[in-house]
Amino acid sequence: MKKNLLAVLLAGLFLFAAACTPSSNNNNTTQGGDEGETYTIYLVTMDRMDQHWNSVQEGCLRAAGEIEAASGDKIEFVWDAPQDGKEDGPQVEIINNAVAAEADVILLAAHSADGQLGAITAGDEAGVKFIYVDSPASWQGALQTIKTDNEAAGTQAGEAMLAKLTELEITEGQIGVVSPDAGSESVVARDAGFRKAFEGTSFEILETQYGEGKADLSQNKAEDFITSGVVGLFGANEGSAVGVANAIKESGQSVVGVGFDTSATVLTAIEEDILIGTMAQNPKEMGYLGLKSAYEYLKNGTDPNPKLLDSGATMVTKANLADFK
């Protein structure tokens, strides 16, 4: 009888102790095990049309793979963007959806400086952090901004055109600029930088025309410039550069063309001497560094440093074309 009573008491003590032991599976983290934490990071870009944004995504995926292999943590990575980025509304909806899906960090290439402010501030209030890649919004609360120094790159593009015009002994004339829109901080800065290269010269930079970043619409704008007799054309992003190249090729006229961003079509235009060059950004590096910064903040509470990071740009010409194919 005493042995049976002792067994009952011991069993009760065991069950009480087990009930008081903390669970080891809270918040996707295994105490002392191999399973790490899971972080949800969204990339929200302006559109899905340009190879540029695919390259940003590739950089994010490379960073996520390295993090998972080294840490045991899991990165739930989602890339979302409007199919057609000509308006703010679709991107605003995507930001709202990412916040509703409880994203930890959103890597954002803002379509315009102010068009997404409501969605961004609502996300911030919900506890979502933001890192700008390529194109920042005017909201100053982002953890970090990783982008090209677009004004400096635009000036470099203008200087390349000016050098070619000088080589051709063209010392005056009108020059056209085709850009996707007037709201994106990045392309506005490129436009301003390009114009700066011609200050103090006899060239006139005409009013910028907008083709929504679409090759066909940009070509129409470029054709209008060519009809008016311009000596040079600048395409301020990938779609604009393709449109400029197509317009120059079909016109058969000797117009000096310079682009911004790279794609197979843009590089072919350089190879065929339709464009003299294009400014190549480092979109893969933008995505890679952005996701790494997001993870370090989430994992260790480390604020990204520096706050503004220039991812660099290079002028691609026929001389160094092989390096970019």
Side-chain angles (χ1 to χ4, degrees), residues 24-37:
S24 61
N25 293 315
N26 291 333
N27 299 322
N28 299 319
T29 304
T30 301
Q31 304 287 337
D34 294 330
E35 186 179 343
E37 298 186 39

Side-chain angles (χ1 to χ4, degrees), residues 250-286:
E250 291 189 13
S251 74
Q253 297 189 36
S254 298
V255 177
V256 176
V258 174
F260 208 105
D261 291 331
T262 58
S263 68
T265 304
V266 173
L267 296 179
T268 297
I270 296 171
E271 188 171 31
E272 296 178 352
D273 295 316
I274 299 164
L275 298 177
I276 66 164
T278 191
M279 293 303 301
Q281 302 187 79
N282 290 309
K284 291 181 183 179
E285 194 72 358
M286 292 178 192

Side-chain angles (χ1 to χ4, degrees), residues 262 267 270 276-280 314-322 324:
T262 58
L267 296 179
I270 296 171
I276 66 164
T278 191
M279 293 303 301
T314 304
M315 172 57 77
V316 183
T317 65
K318 206 166 184 180
N320 64 349
L321 189 60
F324 293 87

Side-chain angles (χ1 to χ4, degrees), residues 51 70 74 86 119 141 153 155 164 190 209 213 221 240 275 302:
Q51 177 57 40
K74 180 172 178 55
K86 66 181 180 181
T155 299
K164 184 63 176 180
R190 291 169 201 168
Q209 298 298 304
K221 302 298 182 181
S240 304
L275 298 177
T302 306

